[in-house]
Amino acid sequence: MEKRIKVVVSKLGLDGHDRGAKVIARALKDAGMEVVYTGLRQTPEQIVKTAIQEDADIIGVSILSGAHLELVPPLVKLMKDKGLNDVGLIVGGVIPPQDIDKLKEMGVDDIFLPGSSLKEIVDKIKRIAYNKRGIKIE
Amino acid sequence: MSEIVKRALEGDELVTSKILTKIEYMTPDGLEYLDELSARAGKAHTIGITGIPGAGKSSLISGLISQYSKRGLKVGVIMIDPSSPISSGSFMGNRIRMQDKTMLKNVFIRSIASRGHLGGVSSEAIMLIEAMDGLGYDKILVETVGAGQTDTEIMSSVHTIIVTSVPGTGDEIQALKAGIMEIGDIYIVNKADLPDANVVYDAIKFSIDSAEWKDWIPKVIKVSALKGLGIEELVNEIETHLEYLRNTGKFEDKVKERRREMIELIIRKWANDKISKVIKENSSLIYEKNELRKTLDALFSKFKNNIC
Ligand SMILES: Nc1nc2c(ncn2[C@@H]2O[C@H](COP(=O)(O)OP(=O)(O)OP(=O)(O)O)[C@@H](O)[C@H]2O)c(=O)[nH]1
Ligand SMILES: [Mg+2]
């Protein structure tokens, strides 16, 4: 059977809103991906551990607290330390334009702001999964 | 032993996870790993947890993980969620209930999607059980949504079946209808913190008491997974069942049964892929003329060439 894209979707940090994350998780499911949803208030350690055990192709985190510049670096570092170099990382949330490049420099593969179309998100994730792990789905 | 399997046995979780994926997708090296692991398997106590959606299966597993982890056991968890028949995608939310257990050492949690293929998920889940067994997990917990063929196949491959019911859903009636009352070794009335738990308890108890049992008489336990009540009693009851299986030789019988099931499902899956392939390759034959007999004869001869 052909490989399906497996995505771990998590809320990183302490804010308690997961509507956006759920909407995205659902869109990915509708696009044929297998989405492991971990829910609220996850630490980088929990997210990385989950991605390891699930053999996720992509980690998607949603951050609405504004603390992305503090929360993302430990996540990226932990991914590297644990050998998840071929796992894509995407961040969704309210990210000011001036922080987007900073996050990308840190190693985030893509960033989705409120209002990004679901189709765009799906297509970009497919591309990342292909680039990082060679997974091809129509 | 292959270097990869060796690293997994030494506790490398990433390597373990990659092995499981290869087995899940039945790649050639995946089958090699499964072969190696199967040769080491046969010791794990496998426990199935089934019940209607929302009954609290994942919450119960979370409680069991704590208990087993406290006792120094290695715990593997496999959770099956349905795939959409339309998109083939899946939303797997079981981990939400046990994310606080992810950082525990010696606990490995894996979600798989049912993928909706004939003999699909069952063979995958059973292969993962076999692999985790070979990797040295002491307890392997398997969550399935209590419905249909898949469930039955997986449940017939575990040592101890826990059926979860809840108050307020008419579950006692449902349970009787679905034949689910015939498969459990232990029945849980979860959400015992809610009213009417006793009604469900009594109904299940009555149904067990009024049936005839050969040797193991199923137990009923009231639990609140949310409040952590009754979990220890459940753990003890699971151990009693394990003892019973060991004393009667049924423990080994179950492992053999699981392997038979696994082999049958792998072969079925393989045959099914061949069937799909032949149908696809000969679609013009099927679509162009409405000659049933001729078409079937032609396809049968193609199958024979393909399979033999
Ligand atoms: N009141 C009460 N609620 C509970 C209890 N156990 C679980 N729940 C709640 O029931 C809901 C479903 O729990 P889960 O553990 O996800 O149930 P499940 O059977 O795994 O659900 P699915 O995997 O979706 O079929 C959650 O909101 C839990 O918090 C309990 O003992 N008492
Ligand atoms: Mg569940």
Side-chain angles (χ1 to χ4, degrees):
Chain A
M1 209 197 72
E2 80 204 61
K3 175 77 175 77
R4 305 220 146 261
I5 297 174
K6 198 168 186 183
V7 190
V8 165
V9 175
S10 290
K11 285 284 306 173
L12 177 58
L14 294 177
D15 70 285
H17 305 281
D18 65 347
R19 240 205 81 177
K22 277 187 177 149
V23 169
I24 290 186
R26 181 154 168 214
L28 300 182
K29 173 200 149 191
D30 290 341
M33 299 181 202
E34 295 181 345
V35 184
V36 175
Y37 186 70
T38 68
L40 293 169
R41 296 188 189 84
Q42 299 289 296
T43 63
E45 286 77 13
Q46 285 175 313
I47 293 171
V48 168
K49 182 99 162 180
T50 302
I52 290 172
Q53 295 187 342
E54 297 290 355
D55 194 11
D57 304 303
I58 306 275
I59 294 174
V61 295
S62 153
I63 309 171
L64 295 173
S65 60
H68 44 274
L69 292 183
E70 290 88 71
L71 291 168
V72 169
L75 178 60
V76 171
K77 179 170 186 306
L78 204 57
M79 285 175 69
K80 282 207 184 96
D81 291 349
K82 296 287 181 184
L84 301 186
N85 306 307
D86 60 344
V87 175
L89 174 63
I90 57 159
V91 172
V94 197
I95 314 283
Q98 67 271 22
D99 290 350
I100 289 179
D101 284 343
K102 283 186 204 155
L103 288 174
K104 285 195 172 163
E105 268 161 40
M106 289 171 188
V108 175
D109 292 294
D110 222 324
I111 289 142
F112 301 112
L113 306 176
S116 302
S117 89
L118 292 173
K119 183 173 181 315
E120 180 198 334
I121 297 176
V122 165
D123 288 345
K124 284 188 165 164
I125 289 181
K126 282 184 183 172
R127 199 168 315 140
I128 295 168
Y130 180 69
N131 289 339
K132 293 238 166 183
R133 290 193 152 192
I135 304 168
K136 211 168 159 54
I137 62 171
E138 318 72 50
Chain B
M1 194 197 308
S2 66
E3 188 54 31
I4 297 280
V5 169
K6 191 161 159 266
R7 279 167 62 193
L9 286 167
E10 284 163 2
D12 186 325
E13 286 205 335
L14 190 55
V15 169
T16 300
S17 192
K18 299 279 178 204
I19 289 179
L20 296 182
T21 306
K22 292 207 159 120
I23 292 175
E24 196 183 331
Y25 281 94
M26 249 193 254
T27 64
D29 41 351
L31 284 179
E32 287 297 318
Y33 301 144
L34 185 60
D35 178 52
E36 278 185 58
L37 292 172
S38 181
R40 311 176 62 92
K43 295 187 214 86
H45 180 204
T46 55
I47 303 164
I49 292 116
T50 186
I52 59 164
K57 302 177 290 295
S58 303
S59 308
L60 269 169
I61 288 179
S62 184
L64 289 174
I65 293 174
S66 301
Q67 292 287 330
Y68 290 141
S69 178
K70 244 190 266 170
R71 289 163 203 223
L73 297 171
K74 235 179 128 176
V75 191
V77 181
I78 298 167
M79 302 176 299
I80 300 147
D81 262 310
S83 296
S84 153
I86 295 158
S87 72
S88 319
S90 180
F91 180 90
M92 306 191 271
N94 291 314
R95 280 194 91 111
I96 300 174
R97 313 280 171 225
M98 55 192 83
Q99 271 311 85
D100 57 331
K101 307 295 181 315
T102 42
M103 297 315 292
L104 289 174
K105 240 188 103 196
N106 291 332
V107 176
F108 196 105
I109 304 171
R110 180 74 171 227
S111 319
I112 63 171
S114 71
R115 309 230 169 96
H117 291 282
L118 190 67
V121 67
S122 320
S123 60
E124 286 148 17
I126 294 170
M127 286 189 293
L128 292 190
I129 295 172
E130 186 78 16
M132 280 188 168
D133 187 345
L135 285 165
Y137 287 88
D138 300 300
K139 299 282 182 188
I140 300 172
L141 308 172
V142 186
E143 173 176 343
T144 65
V145 171
Q149 183 69 16
T150 300
D151 202 52
T152 321
E153 280 166 0
I154 294 167
M155 286 302 149
S156 68
S157 306
V158 298
H159 288 109
T160 302
I161 301 176
I162 301 174
V163 175
T164 313
S165 302
V166 278
T169 55
D171 224 25
E172 58 282 10
I173 312 290
Q174 285 303 327
L176 288 169
K177 268 199 219 157
I180 214 169
M181 287 306 296
E182 290 144 41
I183 67 163
D185 300 304
I186 299 170
Y187 289 87
I188 297 287
V189 179
N190 188 35
K191 311 199 185 183
D193 52 293
L194 299 179
D196 289 340
N198 282 327
V199 177
V200 185
Y201 178 89
D202 291 343
I204 295 175
K205 191 90 179 87
F206 175 77
S207 143
I208 290 170
D209 289 346
S210 54
E212 280 196 35
W213 303 96
K214 272 198 229 83
D215 32 24
W216 174 261
I217 301 168
K219 302 294 173 341
V220 196
I221 306 174
K222 279 185 273 181
V223 167
S224 170
L226 202 63
K227 307 226 154 113
L229 300 171
I231 302 285
E232 281 204 47
E233 192 187 347
L234 171 60
V235 168
N236 292 338
E237 204 51 65
I238 293 172
E239 288 313 297
T240 308
H241 187 248
L242 174 61
E243 228 166 89
Y244 153 79
L245 292 171
R246 286 204 201 285
N247 293 338
T248 51
K250 290 196 164 115
F251 188 89
E252 286 77 21
D253 292 349
K254 264 291 175 191
V255 175
K256 286 187 189 146
E257 179 55 29
R258 175 179 90 210
R259 289 193 174 138
R260 189 205 59 76
E261 187 92 35
M262 178 172 72
I263 289 167
E264 180 178 336
L265 289 170
I266 292 174
I267 303 280
R268 276 188 195 284
K269 192 168 172 167
W270 173 83
N272 199 40
D273 287 348
K274 297 265 182 218
I275 295 171
S276 305
K277 191 164 159 264
V278 169
I279 297 281
K280 203 171 164 193
E281 282 171 1
N282 294 282
S283 57
S284 58
L285 194 70
I286 297 165
Y287 284 117
E288 271 162 26
K289 292 207 181 93
N290 183 14
E291 293 174 332
L292 181 61
R293 189 55 202 263
K294 267 192 190 162
T295 308
L296 284 176
D297 284 347
L299 288 178
F300 272 128
S301 78
K302 296 212 194 255
F303 280 130
K304 282 181 195 141
N305 293 339
N306 235 289
I307 288 179
C308 304

